[in-house]
């Protein structure tokens, strides 16, 4: 790490010295890394630093090394910086405190609170019912907090798979019926009456758990932006359950999400109409993500019978509405 980067961290934390720990992870497509930095002489034992470095040679796992992909990623880091600097959440949808953000030419540093030290040291690849509900509660509280808030400085439409930013993946699709319906599905979601700010990448891997698994915090806000709350919900559920679990458990988990959302909203919100609209958007949101996967990685394990069933339901609804 360069001296100017270290100086920024020391100043932001009021520390006397620092020591770079092991890398936590490499950023997608080789766009930098996330590292833990240990501190001396201040009240924080450590911080987490997201160090973005725009690469000369991109290394996308799926082979999507294009200018569109590069511009989208560059914009995503600008959005994440803006998010951390200009938006605040509550304890019920905990995120790491941002201590500093600075650009150094084609590099960028985001210095964040270490959630391990803040009581969220666990990362999970498998979750039980209570842990799934803890994440859905976080999502519901987040959506309630930002209901009807304009996503200024963020993505106008949140999530990394929304249609406008994925023309290449759409072109690559072999499912012609879904490909032809993609714009209409996108329009249905974008024109819903009730909108919030979405996390935009609310997969299980982006949640940090307390030791008992009942409290969570979330990270990674590169694709935070506006939209229908169901987009976060379907993406999270698909990230931690297989097709059989989805068939069996989704109805009850959706009930939990809406119960938490209701508790978090003030009385001015027209909750019954919001719930009715967003429940009707569930299959559309799932199908929208399914559309992305079919173009991006047609062999992906999330392309399953549950996704195909919901997609067929949506296509049938659209066909019906056109014939009426």
């Amino acid at each position: 790490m360069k001296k100017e980067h270290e100086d920024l961290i020391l100043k932001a934390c009021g520390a006397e010295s620092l020591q770079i720990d092991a890398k936590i992870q490499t950023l997608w497509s080789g766009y930098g890394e996330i590292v833990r930095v240990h501190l001396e002489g201040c009240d924080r034992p450590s911080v987490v630093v997201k160090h973005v470095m725009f690469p000369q040679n991109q290394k996308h796992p799926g082979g999507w090394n294009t200018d569109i992909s590069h511009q989208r990623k560059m914009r995503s880091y600008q959005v994440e910086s803006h998010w951390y600097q200009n938006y605040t959440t509550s304890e019920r949808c905990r995120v790491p405190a941002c201590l500093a953000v600075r650009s150094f030419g084609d590099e960028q540093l985001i210095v964040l609170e270490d959630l391990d030290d803040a009581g969220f040291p666990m990362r999970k690849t498998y979750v039980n019912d209570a842990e799934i509900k803890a994440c859905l509660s976080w999502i519901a509280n987040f959506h309630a907090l930002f209901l009807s808030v304009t996503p200024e400085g963020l993505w106008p439409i949140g999530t990394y798979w929304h249609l406008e930013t994925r023309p290449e993946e759409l072109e690559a699709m072999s499912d012609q019926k879904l490909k032809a319906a993609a714009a209409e599905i996108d329009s249905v979601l974008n024109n819903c009456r009730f909108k919030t700010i979405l996390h935009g990448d609310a997969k299980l891997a982006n949640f940090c758990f307390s030791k008992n698994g009942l409290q969570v915090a979330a990270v990674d806000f590169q694709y935070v932006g506006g939209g229908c709350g169901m987009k976060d919900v379907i993406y999270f559920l698909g990230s931690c359950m297989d097709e059989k679990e989805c068939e069996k458990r989704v109805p009850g988990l959706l009930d939990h999400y809406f119960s938490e959302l209701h508790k978090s909203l003030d009385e001015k919100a027209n909750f019954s109409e919001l719930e009715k609209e967003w429940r009707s958007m569930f299959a559309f949101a799932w199908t929208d993500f399914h559309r992305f996967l079919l173009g991006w990685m047609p062999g992906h394990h999330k392309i399953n019978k549950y996704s195909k069933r919901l997609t067929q339901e949506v296509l049938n609804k659209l066909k019906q509405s056109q014939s009426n």
Side-chain angles (χ1 to χ4, degrees):
M1 188 175 287
K2 296 174 182 175
K3 186 178 184 304
E4 59 186 343
H5 300 165
E6 294 185 358
D7 288 344
L8 174 66
I9 298 166
L10 291 171
K11 184 178 179 182
C13 302
E16 294 173 2
S17 62
L18 59 76
Q19 183 178 348
I20 312 297
D21 198 353
K23 178 168 64 178
I24 297 172
Q25 70 179 77
T26 300
L27 297 178
W28 191 254
S29 301
Y31 275 68
E33 61 186 15
I34 301 175
V35 296
R36 178 168 283 106
V37 177
H38 292 286
L39 304 170
E40 297 284 345
C42 68
D43 57 0
R44 293 182 185 275
S46 60
V47 290
V48 169
V49 178
K50 191 166 189 175
H51 184 188
V52 181
M53 298 170 278
F54 297 116
Q56 298 301 313
N57 297 306
Q58 300 166 52
K59 302 173 183 176
H60 193 287
W64 297 94
N65 298 328
T66 65
D67 187 58
I68 291 175
S69 173
H70 177 65
Q71 294 300 325
R72 184 177 59 249
K73 290 184 184 70
M74 287 182 65
R75 173 68 181 142
S76 79
Y77 291 114
Q78 293 167 357
V79 165
E80 184 171 40
S81 297
H82 187 84
W83 158 262
Y84 276 124
Q85 290 175 297
N86 294 279
Y87 289 80
T88 56
T89 64
S90 71
E91 282 299 313
R92 292 188 294 178
C93 44
R94 184 76 153 78
V95 304
C98 180
L99 306 173
V101 174
R102 188 173 298 174
S103 294
F104 299 88
D106 59 356
E107 297 181 64
Q108 178 178 293
L109 253 63
I110 305 177
V111 183
L112 299 168
E113 171 189 23
D114 188 345
L115 288 172
D116 282 14
D117 293 331
F120 302 94
M122 310 299 290
R123 311 291 181 270
K124 295 180 180 289
T125 53
Y126 172 81
V127 274
N128 61 31
D129 190 64
E131 292 161 345
I132 290 175
K133 286 179 176 176
C135 294
L136 286 172
S137 295
W138 187 100
I139 294 170
N141 281 297
F142 188 84
H143 291 167
L145 183 63
F146 294 109
L147 187 67
S148 301
V149 174
T150 302
E152 292 180 13
L154 311 177
W155 293 96
I157 302 170
T159 75
Y160 67 82
W161 61 89
H162 75 87
L163 188 63
E164 186 182 351
T165 64
R166 294 290 183 170
E168 295 163 313
E169 290 82 356
L170 180 68
E171 184 58 35
M173 283 179 67
S174 59
D175 184 331
Q176 296 303 313
K177 287 183 179 178
L178 182 53
K179 186 176 184 177
E184 190 173 356
I185 292 165
D186 183 59
S187 177
V188 168
L189 289 165
N190 293 342
N191 290 313
C192 67
R193 175 184 165 195
F194 296 97
K195 293 188 178 72
T196 185
I197 291 179
L198 307 173
H199 177 285
D201 193 4
K203 60 188 175 186
L204 178 59
N206 282 333
F207 285 95
C208 306
F209 291 78
S210 61
K211 285 184 179 178
N212 66 7
L214 300 181
Q215 282 82 42
V216 298
V219 296
D220 195 351
F221 288 88
Q222 289 172 229
Y223 293 96
V224 62
C228 171
M230 286 296 95
K231 289 184 176 184
D232 276 342
V233 173
I234 67 95
Y235 187 60
F236 171 72
L237 293 175
S239 77
C240 59
M241 296 193 298
D242 62 25
E243 58 188 339
K244 289 181 180 177
E245 289 177 305
C246 285
E247 289 283 4
K248 182 179 178 181
R249 299 170 69 186
V250 159
L253 292 171
L254 266 183
D255 288 345
H256 174 78
Y257 166 81
F258 281 111
S259 173
E260 291 292 289
L261 186 66
H262 194 191
K263 283 192 288 187
S264 300
L265 287 170
D266 61 39
E267 294 177 3
K268 294 177 186 175
N270 191 335
F271 180 74
S272 60
E273 290 190 19
L274 183 156
E275 181 178 11
K276 182 180 178 182
E277 181 186 62
W278 281 11
R279 280 186 182 273
S280 75
M281 293 290 114
F282 178 82
F284 281 87
W286 198 292
T287 300
D288 186 52
F289 182 65
H290 182 65
R291 174 268 310 158
F292 162 71
L293 284 182
L294 286 175
W296 182 68
M297 193 177 288
H300 199 284
H301 69 91
K302 290 183 188 177
I303 298 172
N304 55 40
K305 289 179 183 177
Y306 183 78
S307 298
K308 290 174 182 176
R309 178 175 70 77
L310 289 184
T311 297
Q312 193 55 53
E313 283 180 17
V314 166
L315 292 176
N316 291 342
K317 280 181 186 175
L318 293 176
K319 191 176 180 181
Q320 231 174 0
S321 67
Q322 288 165 0
S323 61
N324 288 343

